[in-house]
């Protein structure tokens, strides 16, 4: 047993208490920038160095591969690389490793492939077509998202039977058919990875007992982001030893749209009686001005345990505000400040711009391009989501699993080999008739003479190509294998023949993919810290190629951010979580945009918007800029949005003077919503059918259309309609119960 004294040297008293409390449930409430990763890694190191646990008895889970990699590196440094065997991974990666060993209990093959969002969406579209469901009624992306939410809640198609409505029965039918399609392809989607692991443990107690004995200590990062099925997984694994340590911050719970449940962290002490609670409130990232401003915003929420962040960085720049005339003025201001930063010798990598929705990036990008500034949009088209990259990976996936329907559909005529839509539809129909995979249907169609002479010849050549590829050694060099596949399939040749700028860019991306494969292989064969998995633990028949295909599927947007590049980073606030930058610009702080319009009538959703604002503000280390626009063009319409209420919630002493004027000469709009009663039926401000004091000539404000004058009140009570003339938006008729108007005067 080695001494663990050095493990405590870099810890503050609160962090040390969390590290030393080894047995029993522990909740670490870690405020933004309070050193939660340090606390987690030192706790793992202490468990091992003190002899409390063997490395293989520890499971640590988080939400991104980047965070998992950082934790592994830190633990290794603390223990001088003497702790192999600790499982530090994301929820999805941990479940993949479990299922590779145990999924036969559920009737699946171990060689299953993992469908990413694009694959899942394509499968959903095929299901809707097979069921003859109009996509205008059931949009494929919305259906796919509904299925994913059901899985995050831990529900399978049979679990919907209790909801006896037309919509629930139809959704159950689509969900069941979707699962059947995945089963035929021997594929799992992201939601399956955790849900099937939970079902495995619940239906096979012996398997669960093995893992309960294996992992005596479980640590969870970002616990506020866990959803119901992840919660069930943790309850199952920790049920015997109860050594569950969770680290999180209820003020940073921002993924309700993914079914994340803030109650998991708020109710931890009730769910795990006897739990100890440690608060980490010392911040190591931001100045006190930034922390005070962010805390002032989030403290307006009700659903929180509460904490007070403090830092030794008491001297810093005040928060800066800017109100522009429109979105172009806002973008011009941001880029102007970026240029000032560069003129003073600063670096672009130190700056980031956050916005609430992807649609806000356009004016920013246009302004950035005027000055030829290098920039990257995180959350745009991901590298591994680009067509040519997905094509190349599809060939590798079909090599390992020819039953993979989506990958097979992707490559069957890519590059063009004369197998047209008619033949493909015939193969799909035969697969449905035979209740088999697409690959088996293609083989049957050829062998049973169901094709014309020319089609038979092309199909036979394609199947021969697949046979040749499947004979290649998957245990050799991944990069060399990839290069050979791209050459043998004619993919590279087809691109080279195009001789266009676009084709050259695609070839460059394929060369980058080969480089990524080389790097992955080097790290894993050396057993390095960044290894996605431990080669010595691979299930029988599983290769580094299989691990590579798993990794590129499970990467998140934040995982693909290249911090070494000197470029301006722009992204949504959701993607920014977990990152930090010396200087941060948060744009579009307007009612109806941030907070988002969809949250204005839902108190819980509004609180999440406020938490999202808090997350964005606390990414800033040295300087924070908050901007809004009086007028904004979006989705082909002009919107007049009052400044966000979050701006009004920041006391004046935490920021510089707000009397700022747009370069166009238009005075800054007042920060925060104007005073006056909000007319909102959903919050029960009006009883029964009592009509609010509205009448012609009343002045009101709408979160989208801005200020206007009521011309006519039609009807009475909650169903009343209002005809209102707004400034640029013109004449609108609005149902009162949904209006979310603010009465200005009458």
């Amino acid at each position: 047993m080695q001494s663990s004294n050095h493990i405590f040297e870099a810890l503050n008293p609160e962090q040390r208490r969390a590290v030393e409390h080894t047995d029993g449930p522990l909740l670490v409430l870690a405020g933004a920038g309070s050193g939660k990763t340090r606390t987690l890694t030192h706790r793992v190191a202490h468990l091992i160095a003190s002899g409390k646990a063997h490395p293989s008895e520890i499971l640590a889970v988080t939400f991104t591969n980047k965070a998992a990699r950082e934790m592994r590196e830190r633990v290794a440094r603390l223990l001088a690389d003497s702790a192999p065997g600790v499982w530090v991974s994301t929820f999805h990666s941990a479940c993949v490793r479990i299922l590779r060993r145990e999924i036969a209990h559920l009737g699946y093959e171990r060689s299953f492939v993992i469908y990413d969002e694009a694959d899942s969406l394509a499968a959903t579209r095929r299901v809707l077509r097979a069921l003859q469901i109009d996509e205008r009624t059931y949009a494929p992306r919305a259906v796919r998202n509904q299925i994913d939410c059901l899985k995050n809640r831990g529900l399978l198609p049979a679990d919907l039977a209790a909801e006896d409505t037309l919509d629930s029965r139809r959704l159950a039918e689509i969900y069941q058919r979707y699962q059947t399609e995945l089963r035929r392809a021997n594929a799992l989607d992201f939601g399956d990875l955790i849900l099937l692991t939970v079902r495995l443990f619940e239906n096979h107690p012996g398997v669960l007992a093995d893992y309960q004995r294996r992992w005596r200590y479980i640590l969870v990062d970002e616990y506020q982001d866990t959803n119901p099925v992840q919660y069930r997984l943790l309850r199952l694994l920790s049920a015997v030893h109860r050594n569950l340590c969770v680290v999180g911050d209820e003020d940073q719970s921002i993924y309700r749209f993914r079914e994340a449940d803030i109650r998991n962290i708020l109710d931890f002490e009730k769910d795990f009686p006897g739990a100890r609670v440690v608060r980490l409130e010392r911040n190591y990232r931001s100045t006190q001005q930034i922390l005070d401003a962010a805390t002032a915003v989030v403290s307006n929420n009700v659903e929180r345990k509460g904490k007070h962040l403090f830092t030794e960085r008491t001297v810093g720049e005040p928060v800066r505000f800017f109100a522009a005339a429109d979105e172009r003025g806002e973008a011009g201001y941001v880029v102007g400040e970026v240029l000032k930063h560069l003129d003073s010798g600063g670096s672009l990598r130190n700056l980031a711009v956050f916005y609430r929705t992807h649609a806000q990036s356009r004016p920013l990008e246009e302004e950035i391009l005027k000055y030829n500034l290098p920039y990257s949009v995180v959350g745009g088209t991901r590298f591994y989501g680009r067509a040519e990259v997905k094509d190349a990976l599809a060939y590798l996936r079909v090599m390992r699993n020819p039953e993979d329907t989506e990958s097979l559909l992707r490559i069957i005529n890519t590059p063009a080999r004369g197998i047209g839509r008619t033949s493909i539809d015939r193969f799909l129909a035969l697969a449905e008739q035979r209740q088999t995979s697409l690959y088996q249907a293609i083989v049957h169609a050829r062998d049973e003479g169901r094709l014309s002479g020319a089609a038979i010849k092309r199909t036979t050549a394609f199947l021969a190509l697949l046979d040749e590829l499947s004979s290649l050694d998957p245990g050799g060099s991944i990069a060399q294998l990839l290069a050979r596949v791209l050459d043998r399939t004619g993919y590279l040749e087809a691109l080279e023949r195009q001789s266009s700028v676009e084709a050259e860019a695609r070839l460059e991306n394929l060369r980058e993919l080969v480089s990524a494969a080389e790097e992955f292989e080097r790290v894993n064969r050396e057993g390095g810290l960044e290894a996605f998995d431990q080669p010595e633990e691979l299930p029988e028949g599983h290769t580094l190629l299989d691990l590579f295909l798993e990794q590129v599927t499970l990467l998140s947007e934040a995982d693909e951010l290249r911090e070494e590049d000197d470029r301006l980073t722009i992204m949504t606030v959701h993607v920014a979580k977990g990152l930090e930058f010396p200087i941060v610009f948060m744009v579009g702080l307007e009612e109806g945009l941030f907070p988002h319009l969809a949250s204005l009538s839902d108190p819980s959703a509004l609180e999440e918007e406020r938490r999202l604002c808090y997350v964005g503000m606390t990414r800033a280390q040295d300087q924070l800029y908050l901007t809004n626009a009086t007028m904004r063009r979006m989705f082909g319409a002009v919107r007049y949005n009052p400044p966000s209420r979050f701006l009004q919630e920041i006391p004046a002493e935490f920021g510089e003077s707000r009397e700022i004027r747009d370069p166009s000469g238009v005075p800054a709009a007042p920060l925060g919503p104007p005073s006056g009663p909000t007319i909102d039926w959903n919050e029960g401000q009006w009883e029964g059918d009592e009509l609010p004091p509205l009448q012609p000539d009343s002045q009101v404000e709408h979160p989208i259309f801005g200020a206007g004058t009521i011309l006519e009140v039609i009807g009475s009570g909650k169903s009343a309609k209002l005809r209102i003339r707004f400034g640029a938006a013109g004449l609108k008729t609005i149902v009162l119960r949904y209006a979310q108007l603010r009465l200005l005067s009458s």
Side-chain angles (χ1 to χ4, degrees), residues 225-299:
D225 293 334
T226 53
N227 59 37
V229 73
Q230 290 164 337
Y231 171 82
R232 281 166 61 185
L233 177 67
L234 295 171
R235 288 298 296 258
L236 288 165
L237 287 172
S238 64
V240 175
H241 52 69
R242 299 184 75 244
N243 295 327
L244 175 64
C245 167
V246 303
V247 179
D249 180 5
E250 79 281 7
D251 289 334
Q252 297 186 68
S253 178
I254 59 172
Y255 293 116
R256 192 169 73 151
F257 64 94
R258 296 179 187 167
E259 298 298 319
D261 189 350
I262 193 174
R263 302 309 312 178
N264 289 349
I265 191 167
L266 294 178
D267 294 342
F268 185 83
E269 296 147 278
K270 182 170 66 177
D271 295 337
F272 298 90
R276 182 171 183 179
V277 179
V278 175
R279 280 178 164 79
L280 304 184
E281 298 174 310
R282 186 190 302 267
N283 179 279
Y284 295 93
R285 176 189 299 151
S286 307
T287 65
Q288 193 66 53
Q289 289 90 334
I290 292 172
L291 294 180
D292 288 344
T295 300
V297 173
V298 80
S299 62

Side-chain angles (χ1 to χ4, degrees), residues 304-375:
R304 63 189 302 259
K305 287 178 172 290
K307 62 186 73 67
H308 175 70
L309 298 184
F310 64 93
T311 178
E312 295 178 0
R313 300 186 63 197
T314 54
V315 178
E317 296 285 335
V319 177
R320 297 183 182 180
F321 303 91
F322 183 79
D326 59 18
E327 75 281 1
R328 295 196 177 280
E330 180 182 57
Y333 171 75
V334 170
V335 173
E337 292 298 305
V338 170
L339 293 172
K340 289 180 186 177
H341 177 73
L342 292 178
D343 288 343
S344 64
S347 171
L348 284 175
R349 71 166 61 90
N350 291 334
L351 298 93
V353 184
F354 303 157
Y355 39 76
R356 178 63 180 83
T357 67
H358 284 294
Q360 293 169 252
S361 74
R362 181 187 55 79
L364 285 164
E365 292 188 71
E366 290 174 354
E367 191 69 21
I368 291 168
L369 289 170
K370 286 181 184 178
Y371 297 92
N372 199 29
L373 296 174
Y375 75 100

